[in-house]
Amino acid sequence: MKTEIKKHFYSLMYAGKSLRRDDSYLKTFEDIKNEIAGYTDIAKAIIDLAVHGKAQNRSYERLAVFADTIGPRLSGSKNLDAAIKYMFRALQEDGLENVHLEPVKVPHWERGEEFAMMLEPRNHSIAILGLGSSVATPPEGITAEVIVVASFDELHKRAQEAKGKIVVYNEPFTSYGETVQYRSQGAVEAAKVGAVASLIRSIASFSIHSPHTGWQNYQPDVPWIPTACISVEDAEMMSRMSFRGTKIVVHLKMGAKTYPDSPSFNTVAEIVGSKYPEQIVLVSGHLDSWDVGQGAMDDGGGAFISWEALSLIKDLGLRPKRTLRLVLWTAEEQGGIGAEQYYQLHKENINNFDIVMESDEGTFKPSGLGFTGNAKARDIMKEIMTLLQPINVTDVYDDADGTDINYWMRDGVPGASLHDDLSKYFWFHHSQGDTMTVQDPNQMNLCAAVWTVVSYVIADMEEMLPR
């Protein structure tokens, strides 16, 4: 089967002039369309293997064993160390090439014991998750009256009232990109007006009384106050109480601790290119997660379909012209820490990076790819996506999204991210709900097929994508 696919493919392959980016002759777009059409049979073989064949459900099953065995993987934790060792062995056992670990330094924060209790107008246990990098309360905790605000504007208008109080933000969820500023800057803005702590309504589009954590940033010239997320339900309840003029008093206790940066690793594996091995098509997801749930969705799914792309290509006996490189990033949740160090290490070879791809927004039902690149590269990407018509995943959306690949895209390297159904993503994001129960094997099969077809074709085309 493998040999037949390859023979059939090479007979169909557009027999054009052998070209590199620096050659003076350029293919016409018609030539490129013909070249891409030559991959129809290989694309079908990848889809068949991933969706219907022997590899069906493999990425899901691999992820389930990993997530159930290791659990959540916070930057600097023993669980993350165990996850990296696990993946290093698994990639070697899978028969991939150049499996290695690249050392990086990562933040090490631990939440410790934490709880919040409403004392007035009634006793009520408030579900909280401390935010990454938060400082602890004093050992005896903080007991203070609450001021509830719906926005930074309201906080600034009521600045006089906030001094000595706990600021509760009940900001409405509009979109993650817009609303997340309350999580990342809420403590700083509250501290500027003299608050003693901040509690932030979880950045979630739906809630079943479950808080959602995430990273937050202090400013060196502003007092550092304890900060945590609370559930949507508790934020709305305190908002209603506040509107009625009810006095609210909360006792908050957090044992959070920041340790010196820890050694960690980005995990790398390859299928080495047959013709231009120095040129790289990079597929990726991040291996770290928050310390709640299992990190199955964020970003176990993305990491494991990226591994699956290399597995499927290897299973079909294919070897693209360029090197296909899998990178499993570390400390993405703290702001792409592992990815930034990878970029600093490899940017001297930036001209050899053909495209950088990251899946970090779930592996639900896919609809296409987000893409960042020039108009010519976008037209080529649209042609490549027509190869996915058998599973009806052909759209190309504006702008790739991925904390870990931004460093490359800012320097002009084309980038792609998986575009899938996000309607439930923020229900589970950074919460105890991010478990294998969220994952769907059929949807992961489709995501793996998309990821594999796109990365293989780009890695095997005669020319690199224009930039």
Side-chain angles (χ1 to χ4, degrees), residues 352-385:
N352 281 329
F353 281 77
D354 192 350
I355 188 170
V356 287
M357 298 169 59
E358 179 172 26
S359 171
D360 185 22
E361 286 196 323
T363 43
F364 299 107
K365 189 179 179 187
S367 55
L369 286 185
F371 181 73
T372 295
N374 68 22
K376 283 181 183 172
R378 178 172 291 276
D379 287 342
I380 292 168
M381 190 58 83
K382 283 179 179 170
E383 282 302 311
I384 292 170
M385 292 304 286

Side-chain angles (χ1 to χ4, degrees), residues 264-443:
S264 189
F265 301 92
N266 292 315
T267 309
V268 184
E270 293 180 336
I271 291 175
V272 177
S274 61
K275 189 172 181 184
Y276 310 122
E278 75 286 358
Q279 295 175 8
I280 306 298
V281 166
L282 187 149
V283 293
S284 68
H286 65 87
L287 204 57
D288 67 296
S289 74
W290 277 100
D291 56 341
V292 287
Q294 292 182 300
M297 179 190 80
D298 183 15
D299 184 35
F304 275 64
I305 66 159
S306 296
W307 172 16
E308 186 66 11
L310 274 68
S311 287
L312 290 165
I313 288 163
K314 180 180 62 67
D315 289 351
L316 288 168
L318 301 170
R319 186 175 289 277
K321 295 185 182 76
R322 277 172 209 88
T323 294
L324 192 59
R325 180 178 293 168
L326 165 70
V327 183
L328 303 176
W329 311 108
T330 195
E332 184 276 344
E333 296 293 1
Q334 287 65 34
I337 303 291
E340 184 182 12
Q341 290 169 72
Y342 180 90
Y343 165 78
Q344 295 300 342
L345 196 62
H346 295 279
K347 68 180 178 182
E348 63 185 10
N349 298 316
I350 195 162
N351 289 333
N352 281 329
F353 281 77
D354 192 350
I355 188 170
V356 287
M357 298 169 59
E358 179 172 26
S359 171
D360 185 22
E361 286 196 323
T363 43
F364 299 107
K365 189 179 179 187
S367 55
L369 286 185
F371 181 73
T372 295
N374 68 22
K376 283 181 183 172
R378 178 172 291 276
D379 287 342
I380 292 168
M381 190 58 83
K382 283 179 179 170
E383 282 302 311
I384 292 170
M385 292 304 286
T386 63
L387 298 169
L388 289 153
Q389 275 170 345
I391 53 173
N392 195 30
V393 185
T394 56
D395 289 338
V396 177
Y397 298 87
D398 285 345
D399 300 328
D401 190 34
T403 299
D404 299 304
I405 58 174
N406 277 340
Y407 304 100
W408 300 93
M409 294 193 296
R410 280 202 295 257
D411 280 355
V413 178
S417 58
L418 186 69
H419 203 284
D420 63 332
D421 177 9
L422 280 182
S423 59
K424 292 182 180 173
Y425 183 78
F426 294 108
W427 293 16
F428 308 107
H429 182 250
H430 294 186
S431 80
Q432 292 286 9
D434 181 356
T435 67
M436 279 308 297
T437 303
V438 173
Q439 298 295 119
D440 179 292
N442 298 318
Q443 291 174 354

Side-chain angles (χ1 to χ4, degrees), residues 190-331:
K192 282 179 185 172
V193 294
V196 292
S198 63
L199 298 174
I200 293 132
R201 169 179 163 150
S202 287
I203 315 306
S205 52
F206 174 79
S207 177
I208 306 180
H209 198 60
S210 176
H212 299 235
T213 188
W215 199 248
Q216 65 89 38
N217 300 297
Y218 288 122
Q219 286 176 14
D221 54 341
V222 178
W224 293 16
I225 60 172
T227 183
C229 266
I230 58 174
S231 69
V232 172
E233 292 88 340
D234 280 344
E236 290 188 338
M237 178 182 70
M238 285 191 271
S239 177
R240 290 192 303 273
M241 288 174 168
S242 174
F243 272 122
R244 295 181 203 124
T246 304
K247 181 180 176 184
I248 307 165
V249 176
V250 165
H251 176 68
L252 175 68
K253 196 166 177 186
M254 294 172 63
K257 225 171 178 183
T258 297
Y259 296 90
D261 286 358
S262 292
S264 189
F265 301 92
N266 292 315
T267 309
V268 184
E270 293 180 336
I271 291 175
V272 177
S274 61
K275 189 172 181 184
Y276 310 122
E278 75 286 358
Q279 295 175 8
I280 306 298
V281 166
L282 187 149
V283 293
S284 68
H286 65 87
L287 204 57
D288 67 296
S289 74
W290 277 100
D291 56 341
V292 287
Q294 292 182 300
M297 179 190 80
D298 183 15
D299 184 35
F304 275 64
I305 66 159
S306 296
W307 172 16
E308 186 66 11
L310 274 68
S311 287
L312 290 165
I313 288 163
K314 180 180 62 67
D315 289 351
L316 288 168
L318 301 170
R319 186 175 289 277
K321 295 185 182 76
R322 277 172 209 88
T323 294
L324 192 59
R325 180 178 293 168
L326 165 70
V327 183
L328 303 176
W329 311 108
T330 195

Side-chain angles (χ1 to χ4, degrees), residues 65-91 101 106 262-265 267 287-289 304 307 328 330:
V65 174
F66 171 79
D68 293 344
T69 304
I70 305 291
R73 309 167 295 282
L74 187 62
S75 172
S77 69
K78 287 189 171 125
N79 276 23
L80 180 59
D81 290 347
I84 291 165
K85 286 179 185 140
Y86 180 105
M87 288 310 303
F88 179 73
R89 279 195 309 273
L91 297 170
L101 302 176
V106 300
S262 292
S264 189
F265 301 92
T267 309
L287 204 57
D288 67 296
S289 74
F304 275 64
W307 172 16
L328 303 176
T330 195

